Amino acid sequence: MFKSKAVLVAAAVALMASAVSDALAADEVVLRVGYGNNPGEPFDLGCQKWKELIEKRSGGSFKIELYPSSQLGSKDDVMDQMVAGEPVATLTDGAFYYDRGVKDMGIVFGPFLYENWEQAFKLNASQWFKDQSDKVAEVAHLKIIGPDWRYGARHTLTTKPVTKLADLKGMKIRVPTNNIQVKGFEVLGATPTPMALGDVYTSLQQGTIDGVENPIPVLYNGKFHEVAKYLLLDAHVYNVTNIVVGTDFYDSLTPEQQKLLVETCHDAGVYQNEIVEKTEKELLEKFKQEGVTVTEPSPEFKKELIEASKKFYELPEFQKEWTPGLYETVKKAMQ
């Protein structure tokens, strides 16, 4: 009888241990972060910091796995995985929210909307942006957990000089696969050519396209300057990017885990933003040393670009889709 009781106690202890083990396993969270940036770029370094922060502060119960260089697929592929409930994250922005049904958010990626970084960050801290973020969650099923990562001012790298608006006419410029950036370059007279970033080098080399736009670190690390030698510092978009996860994944977390996710993402973004600013200055010098002609638009050219870009905000298709007075609302919110 004593032996039987001992066996029962041992069995009970084993069951309890198993239950605790199962509970701990259930509490462990693994988030996969996928992005097109290459290892060593500022965004990748920011993600490494995020991984370090969240794993340290969670005691290892919240883990992040990094998948640079589009290992999880394109940005749209990763967002589709999010909507399907997968525990994945990526960087995205208003142009992609527009394509996913939150039309007003597309304006934040309009050409020459901002004059400087201060305006861009003020807009992202505004009530208008908070309201739009709620719509992103409701309509697109994406939760913005990091609204303030500085991706970089977007410039244009081309195979021939661009010193006036007429030079852009008919030039085939690679843009990401979203309607906002297509229309943004159309109003400047260029021929926007959507394609994956991984196809750009060969396309430039073969003459399929005449240029590519992106922040300086992305342009340099893609080695596009080996086949395109003219960099125009037009800053047509001040790109504050957002880190997003699926709403199903976010809602599956405890309030403590949600708080940890958002706070560490913010802190990693602050770290990344500092790297971007420093890296851009260093890479501009490298561009010059490696034979790239770097120019800023003359005052006359800048005026031409800004005037041409105004047509973007007046396009009939946007006027039909956007909230009336959206341009004025956004301009007011960023002041």
Side-chain angles (χ1 to χ4, degrees):
M1 188 173 194
F2 177 78
K3 184 176 180 182
S4 176
K5 185 176 181 181
V7 169
L8 288 172
V9 169
V13 169
L15 283 171
M16 288 174 62
S18 176
V20 169
S21 176
D22 289 345
L24 288 172
D27 288 340
E28 183 176 284
V29 178
V30 179
L31 177 65
R32 302 191 302 276
V33 184
Y35 44 95
N37 305 77
N38 296 313
E41 287 184 28
F43 184 79
D44 174 70
L45 297 177
C47 288
Q48 290 183 38
K49 174 59 72 172
W50 187 18
K51 171 181 170 68
E52 173 193 325
L53 290 174
I54 202 166
E55 292 182 359
K56 182 177 180 180
R57 294 182 193 176
S58 70
S61 65
F62 203 133
K63 299 181 185 299
I64 282 181
E65 296 176 351
L66 303 180
Y67 295 86
S69 306
S70 302
Q71 292 178 51
L72 294 184
S74 69
K75 188 176 298 187
D76 271 317
D77 290 336
V78 179
M79 286 192 286
D80 286 343
Q81 293 168 36
M82 288 178 205
V83 173
E86 291 292 312
V88 293
T90 195
L91 71 161
T92 192
D93 47 61
F96 284 88
Y97 301 142
Y98 170 90
D99 285 348
R100 287 176 178 263
V102 188
K103 299 300 183 182
D104 281 2
M105 276 290 249
I107 199 170
V108 305
F109 236 68
F112 301 99
L113 178 68
Y114 309 109
E115 296 175 14
N116 50 51
W117 280 112
E118 184 181 8
Q119 290 183 349
F121 279 108
K122 276 188 176 179
L123 182 62
N124 275 39
S126 70
Q127 186 59 49
W128 176 85
F129 188 86
K130 291 181 175 66
D131 293 342
Q132 291 299 312
S133 297
D134 291 340
K135 290 181 181 178
V136 169
E138 180 183 351
V139 176
H141 308 292
L142 301 171
K143 174 67 178 176
I144 300 174
I145 58 171
D148 48 8
W149 284 48
R150 173 174 165 168
Y151 196 60
R154 300 180 80 97
H155 304 296
T156 309
L157 182 71
T158 55
T159 56
K160 55 187 178 182
V162 176
T163 59
K164 57 186 182 298
L165 189 65
D167 292 338
L168 280 171
K169 187 172 180 59
M171 286 189 75
K172 298 184 289 295
I173 306 294
R174 180 269 174 186
V175 296
T177 55
N178 63 70
N179 190 50
I180 291 291
Q181 284 172 281
V182 167
K183 295 300 180 183
F185 267 88
E186 279 183 357
V187 298
L188 300 180
T191 302
T193 308
M195 68 170 60
L197 201 60
D199 297 331
V200 168
Y201 188 100
T202 302
S203 297
L204 284 168
Q205 196 174 39
Q206 296 176 346
T208 308
I209 57 174
D210 306 305
V212 55
E213 64 79 50
N214 240 298
I216 288 168
V218 179
L219 295 174
Y220 186 85
N221 284 288
K223 301 185 184 301
F224 306 134
H225 60 291
E226 293 179 353
V227 286
K229 294 294 186 181
Y230 299 92
L231 176 61
L232 177 66
L233 300 178
D234 54 353
H236 50 274
V237 172
Y238 283 91
N239 188 175
V240 181
T241 198
N242 305 153
I243 311 302
V244 294
V245 296
T247 52
D248 285 349
F249 167 74
Y250 184 80
D251 292 341
S252 74
L253 302 175
T254 66
E256 292 78 14
Q257 289 170 332
Q258 292 174 351
K259 185 171 184 285
L260 180 67
L261 182 67
V262 171
E263 287 181 351
T264 54
C265 187
H266 169 77
D267 292 347
V270 172
Y271 171 84
Q272 191 258 188
N273 294 352
E274 293 172 354
I275 294 175
V276 169
E277 190 169 4
K278 179 184 176 186
T279 301
E280 285 179 341
K281 293 176 182 177
E282 294 173 349
L283 293 182
L284 266 181
E285 290 307 310
K286 287 188 176 182
F287 269 128
K288 294 173 184 176
Q289 292 167 11
E290 295 175 30
V292 175
T293 300
V294 179
T295 59
E296 293 190 25
S298 66
E300 295 77 19
F301 185 18
K302 189 77 171 184
K303 186 177 179 180
E304 281 186 313
L305 289 167
I306 291 171
E307 284 301 313
S309 72
K310 289 179 181 177
K311 292 181 289 186
F312 172 87
Y313 303 99
E314 298 167 355
L315 288 171
E317 65 187 272
F318 295 149
Q319 292 300 311
K320 289 177 184 177
E321 296 171 331
W322 286 347
T323 299
L326 178 62
Y327 180 77
E328 292 73 21
T329 298
V330 165
K331 279 290 190 180
K332 185 178 179 181
M334 71 173 67
Q335 298 304 322

